Amino acid sequence: MRTITRASGSFAAARAQAPARTSPARTSAQSAARSGARPAPAPGWKGWLADPDHRYSAIRWALLAALVVYTLLVVRSTTARNVDFNELAAAMSAAPGVSELEAIDANGFQDRLGIAPEDCEGWLLYGSGDIMNVSELMVVKATDEDARERFESACAARVEAQLNIFRSYGVDQKDLLEDAILWQRGSYVFYGVSENADAWEELFLSRIR
């Protein structure tokens, strides 16, 4: 059985006369709302970003940082480190699958690409002696932009000519030609046709970055 103790009349009256308690936080918020003042921001970075001026500054700096990163990536993708071509040629000769190909001399270079290996600081060309094998690897370090463009155009024409030969037969060789890698970077032109072309490209890039 619970025992309930009732308050005496004097105590109940005192409670009725006591002012009601009000939360200090609620009072300050209500006062700020009535006066039109902006409430204090929350602590930390969320509070900092709550200010419109701070948000604008953050967006501006983020866009500037993104522009700088983009510019660096573009510059890096179009420039190349100047390396000794003999060292580069030695590294490429050890690339996967290259040992199965033949080193092509200057006469063979012109026969295959229709252009003499001139106006360049160094060049290499590997190819197969089997006419049914389209695998080729070429790297040229041109002396100027005009020479670089000539070598690049010659390689593109080489791929197109080979495709015309193997388009109606030799499905495997046609697929390799369609996946040929050809690009220029800095003063270099890289051209590769092979199931190992991706590995050749990766090795080459690792040397000139």
Side-chain angles (χ1 to χ4, degrees):
M1 177 178 176
R2 290 186 297 172
T3 301
I4 301 176
T5 304
R6 299 183 181 276
S8 63
S10 59
F11 179 72
R15 290 190 60 188
Q17 295 174 1
R21 294 182 179 180
T22 305
S23 168
R26 184 179 302 171
T27 300
S28 60
Q30 291 172 348
S31 299
R34 285 195 299 270
S35 64
R38 184 188 303 174
W45 65 270
K46 290 184 178 180
W48 187 84
L49 287 176
D51 188 301
D53 292 336
H54 291 169
R55 285 200 301 272
Y56 173 75
S57 296
I59 293 172
R60 183 178 60 182
W61 283 108
L63 291 175
L64 180 59
L67 179 61
V68 170
V69 171
Y70 175 77
T71 302
L72 291 175
L73 291 176
V74 170
V75 171
R76 185 178 181 185
S77 67
T78 57
T79 58
R81 185 167 58 91
N82 186 27
V83 297
D84 182 273
F85 196 86
N86 290 329
E87 295 180 3
L88 178 62
M92 297 307 299
S93 67
V98 173
S99 61
E100 302 172 7
L101 304 177
E102 301 174 358
I104 307 300
D105 61 15
N107 291 331
F109 191 107
Q110 183 153 7
D111 289 341
R112 288 174 179 254
L113 298 176
I115 184 175
E118 300 173 347
D119 299 324
C120 54
E121 296 181 19
W123 62 273
L124 63 84
L125 176 63
Y126 288 90
S128 174
D130 182 356
I131 61 173
M132 294 301 295
N133 185 346
V134 297
S135 297
E136 288 178 326
L137 168 63
M138 185 211 75
V139 175
V140 167
K141 186 178 183 181
T143 54
D144 54 45
E145 185 176 354
D146 290 340
R148 186 191 66 197
E149 291 179 353
R150 287 198 301 272
F151 286 116
E152 187 175 10
S153 297
C155 292
R158 170 68 173 173
V159 172
E160 187 61 31
Q162 291 285 78
L163 275 172
N164 289 334
I165 295 173
F166 290 96
R167 187 167 280 122
S168 58
Y169 65 93
V171 176
D172 293 340
Q173 305 305 308
K174 180 177 74 68
D175 289 344
L176 291 178
L177 289 165
E178 290 178 344
D179 292 334
I181 300 174
L182 171 60
W183 50 260
Q184 60 84 14
R185 185 167 181 175
S187 58
Y188 295 95
V189 178
F190 175 91
Y191 162 62
V193 179
S194 170
E195 59 185 12
N196 297 302
D198 289 335
W200 296 348
E201 179 186 32
E202 183 177 352
L203 175 60
F204 178 69
L205 287 173
S206 71
R207 295 285 172 164
I208 66 170
R209 281 187 180 132

